[in-house]
Amino acid sequence: MEGSTLANPVGFSPQAVEMLNLLVGIGAIVIPVLWLLRSTRLEPEDMRVVLPAPWSPSLCLPLFLGVANAGNLFGSLLARMTGATSAGSLLPSGGSALLLCFISLCIVPAIVEELFFRGALQGLMRPSGSAPAIFAPALLFALLHLDLAQGITAFLCGLFLGWLAERTGSILPGMLLHFVNNSLAFLSLYLRSYAPANAAMAYDLFLLIATPLLALWLLWRARGQGFRFSAGLRPGVEPQTVFSSPAYTVAVVFLVVLAVYTRQLR
């Protein structure tokens, strides 16, 4: 029927639509991961779904949120300057539909996206060294968002989460940070939809300004105590060599076409 989409099919309840989107989102990640495990040199242990080495959530979480919201601020300003627009979303006001939205927007992406990008793709790239293993999946992660503002944020977050996976030897901390960031963005979207405008604006301003400033302060203190991002990373080929390789180009084209096709279905 005219006007119906995958995200808004005719004759389905909001709960059924959210469940369908949830299953599509999981399948879009799980199927490529299984294919990589079967068709490439990737082994299950390369994905590092294991308990992490000792790490500092009190440092990494504020740093990650600062990076994410600095990316949000820069991306929004750049999008406004270039005239790019992003599609708006409206959350259900409550009930099971809202719960399913939370699961599909906050929990599932934090698990399956980290499993694919920092697990499968980063594990596949790791023999080339830590730098390509971090940068290459982060760039693909950004491209798949097909949105200028979101792409910048996704790239910066992907770099941080990739570094964290290399540093801790596990993708589980990245899943936790990814979930927290998604939940804060979910709350922002909900407040903009249903809370007074002043409350929503105050919350957004706090995230966009306070978290980057806190991250800078914590990083300044940590570096004064000897913290180095490069510690524990392995040398390898230059990232440019990976980005210009035919295999990486094919992967970029495939994932962009898949993302465009999926967005058109919605």
Side-chain angles (χ1 to χ4, degrees):
M1 182 175 294
E2 183 178 355
S4 63
T5 64
L6 182 62
N8 187 31
V10 174
F12 289 86
S13 66
Q15 292 85 347
V17 172
E18 290 302 328
M19 183 61 70
L20 176 62
N21 290 332
L22 182 61
L23 294 176
V24 170
I26 294 174
I29 294 296
V30 171
I31 293 174
V33 168
L34 294 177
W35 179 81
L36 288 173
L37 287 170
R38 184 178 180 86
S39 305
T40 69
R41 66 170 181 261
L42 182 70
E43 298 293 336
E45 55 269 21
D46 296 329
M47 298 179 64
R48 297 192 170 181
V49 189
V50 295
L51 292 177
W55 65 295
S56 175
S58 61
L59 172 65
C60 292
L61 179 57
L63 284 183
F64 177 66
L65 294 179
V67 167
N69 285 289
N72 287 334
L73 181 59
F74 178 74
S76 298
L77 292 175
L78 186 59
R80 183 177 293 273
M81 290 171 59
T82 58
T85 58
S86 300
S89 299
L90 181 64
L91 295 175
S93 59
S96 58
L98 180 64
L99 176 60
L100 285 172
C101 274
F102 179 78
I103 294 172
S104 64
L105 295 176
C106 299
I107 299 177
V108 170
I111 296 174
V112 298
E113 289 179 2
E114 293 309 303
L115 193 65
F116 181 64
F117 289 100
R118 260 61 66 179
L121 291 185
Q122 191 159 323
L124 195 60
M125 299 296 301
R126 193 167 289 115
S128 299
S130 293
I134 293 171
F135 278 89
L139 182 57
L140 294 178
F141 186 52
L143 289 172
L144 272 176
H145 283 74
L146 295 179
D147 181 277
L148 180 61
Q150 292 182 8
I152 291 173
T153 302
F155 179 66
L156 295 176
C157 289
L159 292 179
F160 189 94
L161 294 173
W163 166 82
L164 186 61
E166 292 296 297
R167 186 72 176 260
T168 64
S170 170
I171 64 172
L172 299 183
M175 288 183 179
L176 174 61
L177 268 57
H178 197 150
F179 166 73
V180 172
N181 184 61
N182 285 0
S183 298
L184 292 176
F186 185 88
L187 178 57
S188 174
L189 183 58
Y190 187 86
L191 290 176
R192 275 182 267 147
S193 300
Y194 300 107
N198 289 342
M201 181 176 294
Y203 177 79
D204 286 342
L205 286 176
F206 174 79
L207 290 181
L208 292 174
I209 297 175
T211 54
L213 291 177
L214 175 61
L216 286 173
W217 179 71
L218 288 174
L219 181 59
W220 174 74
R221 286 194 59 192
R223 289 185 66 85
Q225 297 172 0
F227 174 81
R228 296 293 181 270
F229 277 105
S230 59
L233 302 186
R234 299 186 307 134
V237 301
E238 291 296 323
Q240 302 94 297
T241 304
V242 176
F243 296 154
S244 60
S245 68
Y248 190 80
T249 301
V250 170
V252 170
V253 172
F254 171 76
L255 290 175
V256 169
V257 170
L258 176 63
V260 171
Y261 177 71
T262 302
R263 175 159 292 194
Q264 288 177 343
L265 287 179
R266 294 182 178 181

